[in-house]
Amino acid sequence: MTASTGPDLAGRVVVVVGASAGIGRESARWFARHGARVLAVGRRADRLEELAGSGDFTAPMAVCAVDVATPGGPAAVAAAAAALGPVDLLLYAAGASPLIELADTDAETMATVFATNVVAPSQVCRALLAQFAPDAIAAFMSSESVGRPRRGLVTYSASKAALEELVRGWRVEHPSIRFSSVCVGATIGTDFSREFGAELLGDALVEWIRTGQLSERQMEPTEVGETVARILAVAMTQPGIDVTSFAVQPPGPLASM
Ligand SMILES: NC(=O)c1ccc[n+]([C@@H]2O[C@H](COP(=O)([O-])OP(=O)(O)OC[C@H]3O[C@@H](n4cnc5c(N)ncnc54)[C@H](OP(=O)(O)O)[C@@H]3O)[C@@H](O)[C@H]2O)c1
């Protein structure tokens, strides 16, 4: 399968939260190129407009510039999605990932991470409940760091662990929707690390390598976004299959000093 081939998603509605950058942007682009009506969500309107105007998309891409971690955010996403029709796929790719040690993490910082990585995905799902199509999929990006917390990213991995438990819980309470956790490995060229402080990052990198927590290779956002989109697109065409979780990680050995 080349980048230009794949399932025909004409008429399918896909909501991507976190589409203004990184992996989510590449997934949104892939879905739109394959015929889906995509709602691209993020805070930066200019980045969303740039994406919507950039592609050879069959159907126009809709955008919703909103902070989903604010009280009205999830409802705004649902209102924008309502204009497109029943939602076949929610892909939650937003994430907050400050690099900060626990001893320096105050309650406000911790609450901000959990607001974006735990509260908002659940609230967006809740806001869309009445709008999901039969056999819809709700997929949420988690992290390979769950269960293996790294120095400086413990609050982040704790939030992703909570997210994974929420996904399992949503599946119990709403078995008509297919819930999926997507475990993502190290990916460069995204905004994930844009606010990492150089000083702590240097120390942390040394320790991540020493403790076998960093792969030698890192993935690119396009290959990750497209791979995730392709797997979910296949699942969309197979309503009898529940893809409850999958991992996308760089091949090869761990990094060494
Ligand atoms: N990159 C990695 O190595 C890696 C590894 C493991 C897991 N992951 C996970 O994979 C997902 C994608 O990662 P990435 O590296 O592509 O991230 P990224 O480049 O930082 O992109 C995150 C996206 O989410 C949006 N966003 C963040 N907070 C938001 C909010 N409150 N409301 C609405 N939109 C919001 C951002 O746009 P705006 O700033 O415009 O809102 C951006 O579009 C994340 O969940 C991340 O935790 C990434």
Side-chain angles (χ1 to χ4, degrees):
M1 208 187 284
T2 69
S4 59
T5 63
D8 179 10
L9 301 175
R12 302 292 201 134
V13 173
V14 175
V15 176
V16 181
V17 179
S20 58
I23 299 166
R25 178 174 57 185
E26 300 309 321
S27 291
R29 203 193 305 272
W30 189 91
F31 281 119
R33 280 189 181 144
H34 289 82
R37 282 177 289 170
V38 173
L39 175 65
V41 182
R43 290 167 299 187
R44 287 168 289 178
D46 56 336
R47 300 287 296 267
L48 295 171
E49 295 293 352
E50 184 188 317
L51 171 66
S54 70
D56 45 347
F57 306 148
T58 324
M61 185 183 282
V63 303
C64 176
V66 71
D67 184 341
V68 291
T70 56
V77 174
L84 303 183
V87 175
D88 295 286
L89 171 68
L90 163 65
L91 175 58
Y92 192 95
S97 52
L99 184 72
I100 184 167
E101 293 190 345
L102 283 174
D104 298 320
T105 306
D106 59 21
E108 192 183 342
T109 304
M110 200 170 257
T112 302
V113 174
F114 274 70
T116 303
N117 296 356
V118 184
V119 179
S122 195
Q123 294 305 317
V124 169
C125 186
R126 183 168 165 250
L128 287 173
L129 262 191
Q131 293 168 223
F132 279 120
D135 305 313
I137 297 172
F140 301 84
M141 287 195 186
S142 185
S143 165
E144 64 177 0
S145 65
V146 170
R148 302 182 67 224
R150 294 175 189 175
R151 179 180 177 191
L153 284 176
V154 180
T155 300
Y156 169 76
S157 24
S159 73
K160 292 296 190 180
L163 173 64
E164 291 189 7
E165 190 71 349
L166 270 173
V167 172
R168 286 188 282 270
W170 269 106
R171 190 179 302 123
V172 169
E173 295 188 1
H174 284 273
S176 62
I177 297 168
R178 295 183 286 160
F179 289 94
S180 189
S181 280
V182 182
C183 172
V184 177
T187 309
I188 49 166
T190 75
D191 285 354
F192 182 88
S193 58
R194 95 184 130 169
E195 285 170 12
F196 282 11
E199 197 178 328
L200 178 55
L201 180 59
D203 291 348
L205 275 173
V206 169
E207 194 169 319
W208 296 350
I209 294 170
R210 189 180 60 76
T211 53
Q213 290 181 301
L214 199 66
S215 46
E216 195 172 273
R217 280 173 62 176
Q218 308 221 306
M219 301 178 291
E220 301 281 345
T222 304
E223 58 188 354
V224 180
E226 289 190 1
T227 301
V228 169
R230 282 164 192 254
I231 291 169
L232 293 172
V234 169
M236 285 165 79
T237 65
Q238 300 287 349
I241 300 293
D242 204 352
V243 181
T244 57
S245 63
F246 60 94
V248 182
Q249 289 176 304
L254 293 170
S256 57
M257 312 279 268

Short mmCIF file of all heavy atoms in Angstrom, two decimals, residues 17-25 41-45 47-48 66-70 92-97 115-117 120 140-145 156 160 163 182-194 218 221, ligand 1:
data_model
loop_
_atom_site.label_atom_id
_atom_site.label_comp_id
_atom_site.label_asym_id
_atom_site.label_seq_id
_atom_site.Cartn_x
_atom_site.Cartn_y
_atom_site.Cartn_z
N VAL A 17 -8.69 15.23 17.42
CA VAL A 17 -8.35 16.25 18.41
C VAL A 17 -6.83 16.26 18.56
O VAL A 17 -6.23 15.22 18.89
CB VAL A 17 -9.03 15.96 19.77
CG1 VAL A 17 -8.63 17.04 20.80
CG2 VAL A 17 -10.54 15.91 19.61
N GLY A 18 -6.24 17.43 18.31
CA GLY A 18 -4.78 17.51 18.29
C GLY A 18 -4.30 17.42 16.86
O GLY A 18 -3.31 16.74 16.56
N ALA A 19 -4.99 18.14 15.96
CA ALA A 19 -4.69 18.05 14.52
C ALA A 19 -3.85 19.22 14.03
O ALA A 19 -3.54 19.28 12.84
CB ALA A 19 -6.00 17.97 13.72
N SER A 20 -3.47 20.12 14.91
CA SER A 20 -2.70 21.28 14.44
C SER A 20 -1.21 21.01 14.41
O SER A 20 -0.43 21.85 13.95
CB SER A 20 -2.99 22.50 15.32
OG SER A 20 -2.67 22.22 16.67
N ALA A 21 -0.78 19.86 14.92
CA ALA A 21 0.66 19.55 14.94
C ALA A 21 0.88 18.05 15.05
O ALA A 21 -0.04 17.28 15.35
CB ALA A 21 1.34 20.26 16.12
N GLY A 22 2.13 17.67 14.79
CA GLY A 22 2.59 16.33 15.11
C GLY A 22 1.82 15.18 14.49
O GLY A 22 1.39 15.23 13.32
N ILE A 23 1.66 14.14 15.27
CA ILE A 23 1.08 12.89 14.79
C ILE A 23 -0.38 13.08 14.39
O ILE A 23 -0.83 12.58 13.35
CB ILE A 23 1.22 11.81 15.89
CG1 ILE A 23 2.70 11.57 16.21
CG2 ILE A 23 0.54 10.52 15.46
CD1 ILE A 23 2.95 10.79 17.50
N GLY A 24 -1.13 13.81 15.21
CA GLY A 24 -2.56 14.03 14.91
C GLY A 24 -2.75 14.74 13.59
O GLY A 24 -3.67 14.41 12.83
N ARG A 25 -1.89 15.70 13.30
CA ARG A 25 -2.01 16.41 12.02
C ARG A 25 -1.82 15.45 10.85
O ARG A 25 -2.55 15.50 9.86
CB ARG A 25 -0.96 17.53 11.95
CG ARG A 25 -1.01 18.29 10.64
CD ARG A 25 -0.07 19.48 10.62
NE ARG A 25 1.30 19.09 10.88
CZ ARG A 25 2.31 19.95 11.01
NH1 ARG A 25 2.08 21.23 10.94
NH2 ARG A 25 3.54 19.53 11.24
N VAL A 41 -9.25 19.47 15.13
CA VAL A 41 -9.41 20.25 16.37
C VAL A 41 -8.04 20.54 17.00
O VAL A 41 -7.16 19.67 17.03
CB VAL A 41 -10.27 19.46 17.39
CG1 VAL A 41 -10.49 20.29 18.67
CG2 VAL A 41 -11.60 19.05 16.78
N GLY A 42 -7.88 21.74 17.49
CA GLY A 42 -6.66 22.15 18.19
C GLY A 42 -6.87 23.58 18.66
O GLY A 42 -7.88 24.20 18.35
N ARG A 43 -5.89 24.10 19.39
CA ARG A 43 -6.07 25.48 19.88
C ARG A 43 -5.64 26.51 18.84
O ARG A 43 -6.19 27.60 18.77
CB ARG A 43 -5.28 25.68 21.18
CG ARG A 43 -5.86 24.93 22.36
CD ARG A 43 -4.90 24.88 23.52
NE ARG A 43 -3.67 24.18 23.14
CZ ARG A 43 -2.70 23.86 23.98
NH1 ARG A 43 -2.78 24.20 25.24
NH2 ARG A 43 -1.63 23.22 23.55
N ARG A 44 -4.64 26.19 18.03
CA ARG A 44 -4.08 27.19 17.11
C ARG A 44 -4.83 27.21 15.78
O ARG A 44 -4.61 26.36 14.91
CB ARG A 44 -2.59 26.92 16.89
CG ARG A 44 -1.73 27.27 18.10
CD ARG A 44 -0.33 26.74 17.96
NE ARG A 44 -0.27 25.29 18.08
CZ ARG A 44 0.83 24.58 17.95
NH1 ARG A 44 1.97 25.18 17.69
NH2 ARG A 44 0.80 23.27 18.09
N ALA A 45 -5.70 28.24 15.64
CA ALA A 45 -6.54 28.34 14.44
C ALA A 45 -5.70 28.43 13.17
O ALA A 45 -6.05 27.81 12.15
CB ALA A 45 -7.45 29.55 14.57
N ARG A 47 -2.78 27.19 12.45
CA ARG A 47 -2.22 25.89 12.07
C ARG A 47 -3.30 24.98 11.49
O ARG A 47 -3.06 24.21 10.56
CB ARG A 47 -1.58 25.21 13.29
CG ARG A 47 -0.44 26.00 13.93
CD ARG A 47 0.82 25.97 13.07
NE ARG A 47 1.35 24.63 12.94
CZ ARG A 47 2.29 24.10 13.72
NH1 ARG A 47 2.80 24.82 14.70
NH2 ARG A 47 2.73 22.89 13.53
N LEU A 48 -4.50 25.07 12.04
CA LEU A 48 -5.61 24.25 11.53
C LEU A 48 -6.02 24.71 10.13
O LEU A 48 -6.25 23.88 9.24
CB LEU A 48 -6.81 24.33 12.48
CG LEU A 48 -6.59 23.74 13.88
CD1 LEU A 48 -7.77 24.08 14.79
CD2 LEU A 48 -6.39 22.23 13.82
N VAL A 66 -10.24 25.24 19.40
CA VAL A 66 -10.75 25.30 20.77
C VAL A 66 -9.78 24.58 21.70
O VAL A 66 -9.08 23.66 21.29
CB VAL A 66 -12.16 24.66 20.84
CG1 VAL A 66 -12.10 23.15 20.67
CG2 VAL A 66 -12.86 25.01 22.15
N ASP A 67 -9.76 25.02 22.94
CA ASP A 67 -9.02 24.32 23.98
C ASP A 67 -9.97 23.29 24.61
O ASP A 67 -10.92 23.67 25.31
CB ASP A 67 -8.53 25.33 25.03
CG ASP A 67 -7.65 24.68 26.10
OD1 ASP A 67 -7.70 23.46 26.27
OD2 ASP A 67 -6.92 25.43 26.78
N VAL A 68 -9.72 22.03 24.35
CA VAL A 68 -10.67 21.00 24.82
C VAL A 68 -10.59 20.81 26.33
O VAL A 68 -11.43 20.13 26.91
CB VAL A 68 -10.45 19.64 24.11
CG1 VAL A 68 -10.85 19.72 22.65
CG2 VAL A 68 -9.02 19.14 24.28
N ALA A 69 -9.57 21.40 26.96
CA ALA A 69 -9.44 21.27 28.41
C ALA A 69 -10.16 22.39 29.16
O ALA A 69 -10.05 22.49 30.37
CB ALA A 69 -7.96 21.24 28.79
N THR A 70 -10.89 23.23 28.42
CA THR A 70 -11.70 24.27 29.06
C THR A 70 -13.14 23.76 29.17
O THR A 70 -13.54 22.84 28.43
CB THR A 70 -11.66 25.57 28.25
OG1 THR A 70 -12.09 25.29 26.90
CG2 THR A 70 -10.26 26.15 28.22
N TYR A 92 -8.22 10.88 19.49
CA TYR A 92 -7.73 11.89 20.44
C TYR A 92 -6.21 11.82 20.47
O TYR A 92 -5.62 10.88 21.03
CB TYR A 92 -8.32 11.65 21.83
CG TYR A 92 -8.08 12.84 22.77
CD1 TYR A 92 -9.05 13.83 22.92
CD2 TYR A 92 -6.89 12.97 23.47
CE1 TYR A 92 -8.82 14.94 23.75
CE2 TYR A 92 -6.66 14.06 24.29
CZ TYR A 92 -7.63 15.04 24.43
OH TYR A 92 -7.40 16.13 25.25
N ALA A 93 -5.58 12.82 19.86
CA ALA A 93 -4.11 12.84 19.75
C ALA A 93 -3.50 14.01 20.49
O ALA A 93 -2.29 14.24 20.38
CB ALA A 93 -3.70 12.88 18.27
N ALA A 94 -4.30 14.76 21.22
CA ALA A 94 -3.75 15.89 21.98
C ALA A 94 -2.98 15.36 23.19
O ALA A 94 -3.23 14.25 23.66
CB ALA A 94 -4.86 16.83 22.43
N GLY A 95 -2.06 16.15 23.65
CA GLY A 95 -1.31 15.73 24.82
C GLY A 95 -0.54 16.89 25.42
O GLY A 95 -0.10 17.79 24.70
N ALA A 96 -0.42 16.87 26.74
CA ALA A 96 0.43 17.84 27.44
C ALA A 96 1.57 17.05 28.06
O ALA A 96 1.33 16.04 28.74
CB ALA A 96 -0.37 18.57 28.51
N SER A 97 2.81 17.50 27.82
CA SER A 97 3.96 16.70 28.23
C SER A 97 5.10 17.57 28.75
O SER A 97 6.19 17.58 28.16
CB SER A 97 4.44 15.85 27.04
OG SER A 97 4.64 16.70 25.90
N ALA A 115 -5.71 17.64 32.95
CA ALA A 115 -6.86 18.24 32.25
C ALA A 115 -6.82 17.89 30.77
O ALA A 115 -7.85 17.55 30.17
CB ALA A 115 -6.84 19.76 32.43
N THR A 116 -5.63 17.93 30.17
CA THR A 116 -5.52 17.65 28.73
C THR A 116 -5.47 16.16 28.43
O THR A 116 -6.03 15.71 27.42
CB THR A 116 -4.23 18.33 28.17
OG1 THR A 116 -4.30 19.72 28.46
CG2 THR A 116 -4.11 18.12 26.67
N ASN A 117 -4.79 15.40 29.29
CA ASN A 117 -4.53 13.98 28.98
C ASN A 117 -5.56 13.02 29.54
O ASN A 117 -5.63 11.86 29.11
CB ASN A 117 -3.15 13.59 29.50
CG ASN A 117 -2.03 14.34 28.82
OD1 ASN A 117 -2.27 15.12 27.90
ND2 ASN A 117 -0.80 14.15 29.27
N ALA A 120 -10.06 15.88 29.55
CA ALA A 120 -10.57 16.29 28.24
C ALA A 120 -10.93 15.11 27.32
O ALA A 120 -12.00 15.12 26.71
CB ALA A 120 -9.60 17.24 27.55
N PHE A 140 -7.57 6.67 21.49
CA PHE A 140 -6.88 7.67 22.32
C PHE A 140 -5.39 7.35 22.33
O PHE A 140 -4.99 6.21 22.61
CB PHE A 140 -7.43 7.62 23.75
CG PHE A 140 -8.91 7.89 23.82
CD1 PHE A 140 -9.83 6.88 23.60
CD2 PHE A 140 -9.38 9.18 24.06
CE1 PHE A 140 -11.20 7.13 23.64
CE2 PHE A 140 -10.74 9.45 24.10
CZ PHE A 140 -11.66 8.41 23.89
N MET A 141 -4.57 8.37 22.08
CA MET A 141 -3.12 8.13 22.05
C MET A 141 -2.54 8.13 23.45
O MET A 141 -2.65 9.09 24.20
CB MET A 141 -2.43 9.18 21.18
CG MET A 141 -2.69 8.94 19.72
SD MET A 141 -1.58 9.83 18.66
CE MET A 141 -2.32 9.43 17.06
N SER A 142 -1.91 7.00 23.78
CA SER A 142 -1.22 6.85 25.05
C SER A 142 0.28 6.81 24.78
O SER A 142 0.74 7.25 23.72
CB SER A 142 -1.71 5.59 25.76
OG SER A 142 -1.14 5.51 27.04
N SER A 143 1.02 6.26 25.71
CA SER A 143 2.48 6.33 25.60
C SER A 143 3.16 5.04 26.04
O SER A 143 2.70 4.38 26.98
CB SER A 143 2.98 7.49 26.47
OG SER A 143 4.37 7.40 26.67
N GLU A 144 4.30 4.77 25.40
CA GLU A 144 5.11 3.62 25.81
C GLU A 144 5.66 3.78 27.22
O GLU A 144 6.17 2.83 27.81
CB GLU A 144 6.27 3.43 24.83
CG GLU A 144 7.24 4.60 24.84
CD GLU A 144 8.46 4.41 23.94
OE1 GLU A 144 8.57 3.37 23.30
OE2 GLU A 144 9.28 5.35 23.90
N SER A 145 5.57 4.99 27.77
CA SER A 145 6.12 5.22 29.12
C SER A 145 5.18 4.75 30.24
O SER A 145 5.59 4.75 31.40
CB SER A 145 6.45 6.71 29.30
OG SER A 145 5.28 7.49 29.27
N TYR A 156 3.39 12.95 33.38
CA TYR A 156 2.87 12.63 32.05
C TYR A 156 2.49 11.15 31.97
O TYR A 156 1.36 10.82 31.56
CB TYR A 156 3.94 12.97 31.01
CG TYR A 156 3.66 12.46 29.63
CD1 TYR A 156 2.71 13.08 28.82
CD2 TYR A 156 4.32 11.34 29.12
CE1 TYR A 156 2.44 12.61 27.54
CE2 TYR A 156 4.07 10.87 27.85
CZ TYR A 156 3.13 11.51 27.06
OH TYR A 156 2.85 11.04 25.81
N LYS A 160 -1.21 9.27 31.40
CA LYS A 160 -1.52 8.33 30.32
C LYS A 160 -2.00 6.98 30.89
O LYS A 160 -2.84 6.31 30.28
CB LYS A 160 -0.30 8.13 29.42
CG LYS A 160 0.08 9.37 28.61
CD LYS A 160 -0.99 9.75 27.60
CE LYS A 160 -0.50 10.81 26.63
NZ LYS A 160 -1.54 11.21 25.64
N LEU A 163 -5.48 7.55 31.60
CA LEU A 163 -6.23 7.56 30.33
C LEU A 163 -6.54 6.13 29.88
O LEU A 163 -7.67 5.82 29.48
CB LEU A 163 -5.43 8.30 29.25
CG LEU A 163 -5.99 8.25 27.84
CD1 LEU A 163 -7.34 8.95 27.75
CD2 LEU A 163 -5.01 8.88 26.84
N VAL A 182 -3.95 3.65 21.82
CA VAL A 182 -2.85 3.58 20.87
C VAL A 182 -1.56 3.94 21.61
O VAL A 182 -1.36 5.09 22.01
CB VAL A 182 -3.07 4.55 19.69
CG1 VAL A 182 -1.93 4.42 18.69
CG2 VAL A 182 -4.41 4.30 19.03
N CYS A 183 -0.72 2.94 21.81
CA CYS A 183 0.55 3.17 22.52
C CYS A 183 1.58 3.71 21.53
O CYS A 183 1.93 3.02 20.57
CB CYS A 183 1.02 1.85 23.13
SG CYS A 183 2.67 1.96 23.84
N VAL A 184 2.02 4.92 21.77
CA VAL A 184 2.94 5.58 20.84
C VAL A 184 4.35 5.57 21.43
O VAL A 184 4.55 5.86 22.62
CB VAL A 184 2.49 7.03 20.56
CG1 VAL A 184 3.48 7.74 19.66
CG2 VAL A 184 1.09 7.04 19.95
N GLY A 185 5.33 5.25 20.59
CA GLY A 185 6.73 5.30 20.99
C GLY A 185 7.39 6.59 20.53
O GLY A 185 6.74 7.46 19.93
N ALA A 186 8.69 6.68 20.79
CA ALA A 186 9.44 7.92 20.56
C ALA A 186 9.31 8.43 19.13
O ALA A 186 9.66 7.74 18.17
CB ALA A 186 10.90 7.69 20.91
N THR A 187 8.83 9.66 19.01
CA THR A 187 8.61 10.29 17.71
C THR A 187 9.21 11.69 17.72
O THR A 187 8.86 12.49 18.60
CB THR A 187 7.09 10.39 17.42
OG1 THR A 187 6.49 9.11 17.61
CG2 THR A 187 6.83 10.87 16.01
N ILE A 188 10.11 11.97 16.79
CA ILE A 188 10.73 13.31 16.76
C ILE A 188 10.00 14.21 15.77
O ILE A 188 9.20 13.74 14.97
CB ILE A 188 12.22 13.25 16.37
CG1 ILE A 188 12.40 12.39 15.11
CG2 ILE A 188 13.07 12.76 17.52
CD1 ILE A 188 13.76 12.57 14.49
N GLY A 189 10.26 15.51 15.86
CA GLY A 189 9.69 16.44 14.89
C GLY A 189 8.26 16.83 15.20
O GLY A 189 7.56 17.38 14.34
N THR A 190 7.80 16.55 16.40
CA THR A 190 6.48 17.00 16.82
C THR A 190 6.67 18.12 17.86
O THR A 190 7.79 18.45 18.22
CB THR A 190 5.66 15.86 17.46
OG1 THR A 190 6.17 15.63 18.78
CG2 THR A 190 5.76 14.57 16.66
N ASP A 191 5.57 18.64 18.36
CA ASP A 191 5.65 19.68 19.39
C ASP A 191 5.78 19.09 20.80
O ASP A 191 5.83 19.83 21.78
CB ASP A 191 4.40 20.57 19.35
CG ASP A 191 4.44 21.52 18.16
OD1 ASP A 191 5.47 21.56 17.47
OD2 ASP A 191 3.42 22.21 17.92
N PHE A 192 5.82 17.77 20.89
CA PHE A 192 5.84 17.07 22.18
C PHE A 192 6.88 17.65 23.13
O PHE A 192 6.63 17.88 24.30
CB PHE A 192 6.13 15.59 21.91
CG PHE A 192 6.14 14.69 23.12
CD1 PHE A 192 4.97 14.10 23.58
CD2 PHE A 192 7.32 14.42 23.79
CE1 PHE A 192 4.98 13.26 24.68
CE2 PHE A 192 7.33 13.58 24.90
CZ PHE A 192 6.17 13.00 25.35
N SER A 193 8.07 17.89 22.60
CA SER A 193 9.19 18.31 23.46
C SER A 193 9.52 19.78 23.31
O SER A 193 10.57 20.24 23.72
CB SER A 193 10.43 17.47 23.13
OG SER A 193 10.75 17.62 21.76
N ARG A 194 8.58 20.55 22.74
CA ARG A 194 8.94 21.93 22.38
C ARG A 194 9.25 22.77 23.61
O ARG A 194 9.99 23.73 23.53
CB ARG A 194 7.86 22.54 21.48
CG ARG A 194 6.80 23.35 22.15
CD ARG A 194 5.72 23.85 21.23
NE ARG A 194 4.42 23.52 21.82
CZ ARG A 194 3.28 23.97 21.40
NH1 ARG A 194 3.23 24.72 20.33
NH2 ARG A 194 2.15 23.65 22.01
N GLN A 218 14.22 6.90 16.27
CA GLN A 218 12.97 7.58 16.61
C GLN A 218 12.13 7.68 15.35
O GLN A 218 12.68 7.72 14.25
CB GLN A 218 13.26 8.97 17.16
CG GLN A 218 14.29 8.93 18.30
CD GLN A 218 13.95 9.84 19.44
OE1 GLN A 218 13.74 11.01 19.25
NE2 GLN A 218 13.88 9.29 20.64
N PRO A 221 6.72 11.94 12.50
CA PRO A 221 5.27 12.09 12.68
C PRO A 221 4.44 11.60 11.50
O PRO A 221 3.35 11.05 11.68
CB PRO A 221 5.07 13.60 12.89
CG PRO A 221 6.38 14.24 12.69
CD PRO A 221 7.45 13.21 12.74
N1 LIG B 1 6.01 12.44 20.27
C1 LIG B 1 6.26 11.39 21.02
O1 LIG B 1 7.43 10.94 21.15
C2 LIG B 1 5.14 10.68 21.78
C3 LIG B 1 5.47 9.53 22.49
C4 LIG B 1 4.45 8.86 23.18
C5 LIG B 1 3.15 9.34 23.14
N2 LIG B 1 2.85 10.48 22.44
C6 LIG B 1 1.46 10.94 22.45
O2 LIG B 1 0.97 10.97 21.12
C7 LIG B 1 0.07 12.07 20.96
C8 LIG B 1 0.57 12.96 19.83
O3 LIG B 1 1.88 13.41 20.17
P1 LIG B 1 2.66 14.51 19.34
O4 LIG B 1 4.10 14.33 19.65
O5 LIG B 1 2.21 14.52 17.93
O6 LIG B 1 2.15 15.82 20.08
P2 LIG B 1 2.22 17.35 19.63
O7 LIG B 1 3.08 17.54 18.42
O8 LIG B 1 2.56 18.12 20.87
O9 LIG B 1 0.72 17.68 19.20
C9 LIG B 1 -0.30 17.75 20.15
C10 LIG B 1 -1.54 18.31 19.49
O10 LIG B 1 -2.55 18.47 20.48
C11 LIG B 1 -3.05 19.80 20.44
N3 LIG B 1 -3.46 20.15 21.79
C12 LIG B 1 -2.71 20.11 22.92
N4 LIG B 1 -3.45 20.52 23.97
C13 LIG B 1 -4.68 20.80 23.49
C14 LIG B 1 -5.87 21.29 24.08
N5 LIG B 1 -5.94 21.55 25.39
N6 LIG B 1 -6.96 21.49 23.30
C15 LIG B 1 -6.90 21.23 21.98
N7 LIG B 1 -5.80 20.77 21.36
C16 LIG B 1 -4.70 20.57 22.11
C17 LIG B 1 -1.86 20.61 19.90
O11 LIG B 1 -2.22 21.78 19.23
P3 LIG B 1 -2.44 23.24 19.84
O12 LIG B 1 -1.19 23.58 20.59
O13 LIG B 1 -2.69 24.07 18.63
O14 LIG B 1 -3.65 23.11 20.70
C18 LIG B 1 -1.32 19.66 18.86
O15 LIG B 1 -2.12 19.73 17.69
C19 LIG B 1 0.00 12.78 22.31
O16 LIG B 1 -1.09 12.29 23.03
C20 LIG B 1 1.30 12.35 22.98
O17 LIG B 1 1.20 12.38 24.39
C21 LIG B 1 3.83 11.15 21.75
#
